[in-house]
Amino acid sequence: YYWLIRLNGWITATVPEVLTMVRVDPLLVCMIAAIWANHVSKRRDGFREILHDLAPLVMPPFFTIAGATLDLKSILRSKAAPPVLFILRFAGIAIGSFFASMATGHASTVRNHLWMTLQAQSGVTLGLVAQMKMGLVGKQPWAHGAADTIIGCVVMNQLVG
């Protein structure tokens, strides 16, 4: 991860200004590596054991930092947006997972309960929002309001999920 950040610094310093938006996103690289390790690698079970063992050590600090960086005043300024987006996302996941399960021939137990497991998936979203706020998009005047709205939706998903 550290070397990917260093690579981005080198890219910015050495390439022509037109290409300075070209970056290697460390979060995206980690996500791709995790997908590969979990779906392609023959060491899938070992990877899952590592995740299972490390989750209790990683999750509390991650969500503590996420909670500490919440700007509640900004979320309250756009208090109508998070509930609307939450309801749309909630319904979309429920309907989409039901029909996808039906189309792929899953049992009714899976079809009727899969949506519940998908509602509280927030870790990646919080990571992407943090990246957005720190990156070039974060310099836009609308970025922090959008980020706070998304974080408000994540908080609602966590409370319900």
Side-chain angles (χ1 to χ4, degrees):
Y1 187 85
Y2 172 76
W3 291 109
L4 293 172
I5 293 172
R6 297 283 302 226
L7 175 63
N8 284 333
W10 177 82
I11 290 171
T12 304
T14 57
V15 300
E17 189 172 336
V18 176
L19 298 175
T20 56
M21 298 231 2
V22 175
R23 301 276 168 89
V24 179
D25 190 316
L27 183 62
L28 185 59
V29 170
C30 291
M31 288 171 50
I32 292 169
I35 290 168
W36 181 85
N38 195 41
H39 296 286
V40 178
S41 173
K42 293 179 181 175
R43 296 185 177 149
R44 179 180 186 168
D45 292 331
F47 181 66
R48 285 190 177 175
E49 285 180 33
I50 290 169
L51 289 178
H52 182 268
D53 293 343
L54 290 178
L57 301 173
V58 173
M59 296 301 180
F62 177 80
F63 284 105
T64 300
I65 291 170
T69 59
L70 273 179
D71 183 2
L72 293 178
K73 290 179 183 175
S74 180
I75 292 172
L76 290 175
R77 275 192 300 252
S78 61
K79 60 185 165 215
V84 170
L85 293 174
F86 168 77
I87 290 168
L88 290 173
R89 179 184 178 275
F90 192 92
I93 286 174
I95 294 166
S97 63
F98 179 83
F99 285 115
S101 298
M102 192 167 44
T104 55
H106 282 87
S108 64
T109 305
V110 173
R111 200 171 42 239
N112 294 333
H113 297 96
L114 178 63
W115 66 274
M116 291 183 218
T117 66
L118 303 173
Q119 290 298 335
Q121 304 295 322
S122 65
V124 172
T125 304
L126 291 175
L128 291 173
V129 168
Q131 289 287 322
M132 178 187 87
K133 287 170 74 173
M134 291 186 301
L136 295 175
V137 174
K139 296 176 183 171
Q140 302 299 320
W142 51 266
H144 287 281
D148 293 332
T149 300
I150 292 168
I151 291 171
C153 292
V154 167
V155 169
M156 293 176 77
N157 288 325
Q158 287 298 110
L159 292 173
V160 171

